[in-house]
Amino acid sequence: METKNKLELSNPFMNISGKKERETLEKDLKFCKENVLTNRFIRRRIVFFMDGYRYAGQAVSKRWGINFGFFESGHDQIKKAYMTENLEKEAGKLWWTMMNEDENFSKQLVKELLDIIEWEKRLSKTIPQRVLSRNEIEEYMLMHLDWWISFFEVAYLWFCAEDIKQMIDNELGKIWEDFEYEGESVNLSHFKDSVYRPMKWPLSSVEQRDLLATSRLKGKDKEKGLQEHTEKYKHLALHNIDDEYFNEEYYKGRLNILEDNKEYENQKKLMDTADKEVEYANGILESSNLPEWIKDRIEFVRWFMYLRTESVDHFMLVNSAYKSVFQSLSKEFGLAMEEVLHMTYEEIISSLRKGKLIVSKDLIKSRTHEGYAFLISTNGSYLTTDKEVDELHELVVPKDEGKEIKELKGQSAFKGIVKGHARVILDRRNSHELKHGEILVTTMTSPEFVPAMKISGGIVTNEGGILCHAAIMSRELRKPCVIGTKKATDVIKTGDLLELDADKGIVKILN
């Protein structure tokens, strides 16, 4: 069984107790230790997606020559995910070298991701929304894997755009000369603060602008506009295939807020300011006296600011389309959809071909309801359940010394200093719990967080760099924001009084 990417379907090791498994695991533990495995995400995790990352990891190794480790584990649905630090460092150096060797490399990479977004749109229209036959399900499952591998053999590496930005800034320091734009002198600091804006607004930002326009409609036109808006954007909630759509009540609630003319004018002003910043970034880059090669690389970073969010917004469109596939699998296997999502590609497809499950329901239910650990590494991959979940975790993840931390450092996404009480939100579905003026503390933001971000006093995230969703939205909403603190959600508790100094990228716990 093969995909178009010539990767044979297989399963990871299903235990760590066998002699072969243990010998292979020892090599992978050494690799993860040498390359520093660190917590990168906290999300609701499913085996199906993690198994897809396994295939994509093989594609990354084949195409880019980079090996890395990826691990997640836990007994709850919300799990920590860890990655070795070498991935983006090696990717940044590699892509920079390839840019030096081929002046079209960055444009080709941008085009590849733009093509993948178009692929996502086509794929979302391909899947019938009805009960599917076994043959249809198999066909669509293989299509999903082919798309997933093609996407993540690039997307796995795209965080290195932060490293490339740093390399650009280092080069700018060597060649910079002040110039005039719109009658004002532009120095290096102002240029770097102003030029890094997305090339375009991603779908989730366009949604905000569309909702603003819908709020000005009246009567039946407004009712129709609300229905059309819901249908067009409801998929933005689907980070997993079995997530619930944004419903009409969700958008109606946001429209009701915009009924207040003061709030409407405030939101419109924010959007207009953000739009002008993009125009200014275009103008200041074009008018600069920088060599074309460095302009090209700045544009590459700006494209990635757009593409990272835009591709994920359409990723969720694919999740919407695949609801019918997993509903059909649920009926076929006699399992809840959530449980099917804890099967591997090979388990699903082989079960379809044999006409019965090739793996026990008890094992699938154990992964779903009692937890699992999944390690992807250079020599092998391992999917464990039961007591081996904690055993593998203890072997893979360095022990936390547990020192009390009163101050966190990160990167400033939008400047400002604010004090307020923290609201720690790990599950995006609970973002409505944030109260006006509280400081949002989370792993990373997504479209579901936008209403909360608007009423927050400021934003603090574990993850992300200057190109991430939180960075883009905090600038758009003019909210003080510190990103990339790594462990804010571990250290800060809801109710803590914080001082968020986004001028310096520092978050202090005051009590």
Side-chain angles (χ1 to χ4, degrees):
M1 293 178 281
E2 292 185 342
T3 70
K4 293 177 184 177
N5 284 276
K6 306 300 181 185
L7 289 174
E8 292 186 4
L9 288 175
S10 62
N11 271 327
F13 291 126
M14 294 298 183
N15 65 74
I16 55 172
S17 55
K19 183 180 178 182
K20 180 182 179 182
E21 290 86 344
R22 208 72 185 188
E23 289 175 351
T24 309
L25 178 60
E26 288 300 322
K27 298 175 187 175
D28 287 322
L29 292 174
K30 182 181 178 183
F31 176 86
C32 289
K33 183 177 181 181
E34 290 174 347
N35 290 279
V36 190
L37 195 76
T38 55
N39 177 216
R40 297 294 297 273
F41 314 105
I42 304 177
R43 302 277 193 278
R44 181 185 165 219
R45 313 298 297 184
I46 55 175
V47 166
F48 176 68
F49 280 179
M50 194 64 176
D51 195 48
Y53 291 128
R54 180 172 65 93
Y55 290 100
Q58 296 172 36
V60 167
S61 179
K62 183 177 179 180
R63 177 174 178 181
W64 304 109
I66 300 174
N67 294 315
F68 60 96
F70 188 7
F71 178 65
E72 64 185 39
S73 70
H75 297 284
D76 299 321
Q77 289 191 346
I78 305 295
K79 294 178 175 65
K80 287 186 176 182
Y82 304 78
M83 292 187 74
T84 51
E85 293 182 350
N86 69 303
L87 176 59
E88 58 202 57
K89 291 178 181 178
E90 291 184 34
K93 291 176 183 176
L94 176 65
W95 281 5
W96 186 266
T97 299
M98 296 180 84
M99 288 175 186
N100 288 337
E101 294 173 350
D102 180 0
E103 63 181 16
N104 293 316
F105 174 75
S106 60
K107 291 183 175 64
Q108 290 167 354
L109 207 54
V110 167
K111 184 180 184 304
E112 184 173 344
L113 275 170
L114 288 169
D115 288 344
I116 286 171
I117 291 170
E118 292 305 311
W119 188 354
E120 289 172 327
K121 293 176 183 178
R122 292 193 304 272
L123 187 56
S124 69
K125 296 175 182 177
T126 300
I127 315 300
Q129 295 304 299
R130 56 170 170 77
V131 177
L132 304 170
S133 69
R134 288 178 188 169
N135 288 339
E136 286 176 316
I137 297 171
E138 180 182 337
E139 177 187 357
Y140 297 138
M141 289 298 295
L142 290 171
M143 287 170 60
H144 189 279
L145 182 56
D146 194 41
W147 157 72
W148 184 281
I149 292 169
S150 298
F151 180 20
F152 279 99
E153 74 176 14
V154 177
Y156 250 139
L157 279 65
W158 65 17
F159 292 106
C160 81
E162 302 280 352
D163 294 67
I164 289 173
K165 175 186 175 296
Q166 185 59 53
M167 294 177 198
I168 292 168
D169 289 348
N170 291 339
E171 293 297 323
L172 286 173
K174 299 174 186 176
I175 62 174
W176 182 260
E177 293 179 4
D178 290 357
F179 66 96
E180 282 201 1
Y181 179 66
E182 295 185 341
E184 295 182 354
S185 179
V186 178
N187 61 28
L188 179 57
S189 176
H190 176 71
F191 180 81
K192 290 193 292 187
D193 284 344
S194 304
V195 79
Y196 292 112
R197 297 293 183 273
M199 290 295 286
K200 300 167 64 175
W201 291 118
L203 189 66
S204 47
S205 290
V206 174
E207 182 272 326
Q208 294 182 73
R209 288 155 173 78
D210 281 357
L211 192 70
L212 204 65
T214 301
S215 73
R216 297 294 93 179
L217 299 175
K218 303 294 182 183
K220 291 188 180 292
D221 287 340
K222 191 170 188 176
E223 291 178 15
K224 183 181 178 183
L226 174 60
Q227 292 169 358
E228 291 174 348
H229 190 91
T230 302
E231 187 60 31
K232 184 176 181 179
Y233 295 111
K234 65 182 182 180
H235 72 276
L236 290 174
L238 303 183
H239 290 263
N240 281 298
I241 294 168
D242 61 339
D243 283 342
E244 296 294 326
Y245 289 110
F246 285 137
N247 57 29
E248 197 169 295
E249 286 302 309
Y250 166 78
Y251 290 112
K252 188 175 182 179
R254 288 174 58 194
L255 276 179
N256 288 342
I257 294 171
L258 294 171
E259 291 289 338
D260 184 313
N261 286 331
K262 185 177 180 181
E263 182 61 28
Y264 170 83
E265 292 299 332
N266 180 50
Q267 292 301 318
K268 189 175 186 305
K269 182 179 178 181
L270 291 173
M271 300 299 115
D272 289 345
T273 300
D275 291 342
K276 288 176 182 176
E277 286 185 353
V278 170
E279 291 177 13
Y280 187 80
N282 293 338
I284 203 173
L285 180 59
E286 185 178 346
S287 299
S288 72
N289 49 14
L290 294 169
E292 287 303 314
W293 69 268
I294 206 162
K295 286 185 178 182
D296 179 68
R297 294 184 197 191
I298 291 171
E299 283 203 349
F300 172 80
V301 172
R302 293 184 62 206
W303 270 114
F304 265 64
M305 294 178 76
Y306 160 72
L307 287 167
R308 272 170 48 174
T309 301
E310 177 76 355
S311 60
V312 171
D313 288 346
H314 286 88
F315 176 106
M316 290 186 267
L317 196 61
V318 175
N319 284 348
S320 176
Y322 271 82
K323 277 184 176 292
S324 66
V325 175
F326 279 84
Q327 286 164 352
S328 299
L329 283 168
S330 175
K331 184 177 180 180
E332 182 75 29
F333 296 155
L335 293 166
M337 192 195 300
E338 178 190 22
E339 292 167 343
V340 180
L341 285 165
H342 283 78
M343 296 175 67
T344 68
Y345 279 94
E346 198 278 337
E347 288 170 347
I348 291 170
I349 292 172
S350 291
S351 295
L352 287 169
R353 290 180 173 177
K354 288 184 179 295
K356 63 178 182 180
L357 281 171
I358 64 164
V359 59
S360 74
K361 285 188 177 181
D362 287 342
L363 177 59
I364 296 168
K365 289 177 181 291
S366 177
R367 292 173 186 166
T368 308
H369 305 294
E370 297 170 26
Y372 65 86
F374 203 139
L375 172 64
I376 299 167
S377 195
T378 60
N379 299 287
S381 295
Y382 316 80
L383 172 57
T384 66
T385 52
D386 299 325
K387 61 185 175 68
E388 286 194 345
V389 173
D390 295 328
E391 184 182 350
L392 185 56
H393 186 94
E394 290 173 8
L395 288 169
V396 174
V397 178
K399 286 185 172 56
D400 190 346
E401 295 179 7
K403 293 180 181 178
E404 186 179 20
I405 298 173
K406 287 291 185 180
E407 182 176 298
L408 292 164
K409 293 184 179 180
Q411 188 174 4
S412 176
F414 186 76
K415 292 182 178 181
I417 301 173
V418 65
K419 287 183 182 180
H421 289 96
R423 175 71 59 177
V424 180
I425 300 176
L426 295 181
D427 190 336
R428 60 186 181 277
R429 292 170 293 186
N430 298 331
S431 61
H432 63 279
E433 294 176 358
L434 187 127
K435 296 179 176 59
H436 197 280
E438 289 182 327
I439 295 176
L440 171 63
V441 181
T442 187
T443 59
M444 176 44 60
T445 63
S446 57
E448 297 96 319
F449 279 101
V450 171
M453 295 169 80
K454 287 180 177 178
I455 65 169
S456 71
I459 302 155
V460 180
T461 70
N462 291 358
E463 305 164 25
I466 204 65
L467 315 184
C468 70
H469 181 270
I472 293 171
M473 291 309 306
S474 65
R475 287 194 294 266
E476 195 166 341
L477 300 174
R478 327 307 282 178
K479 296 289 183 178
C481 178
V482 174
I483 54 179
T485 63
K486 296 186 178 179
K487 53 176 65 179
T489 60
D490 290 330
V491 174
I492 299 169
K493 308 299 179 192
T494 292
D496 284 351
L497 181 63
L498 305 181
E499 180 182 86
L500 194 167
D501 184 347
D503 291 348
K504 298 178 180 177
I506 293 174
V507 182
K508 293 181 180 178
I509 304 172
L510 300 180
N511 74 317

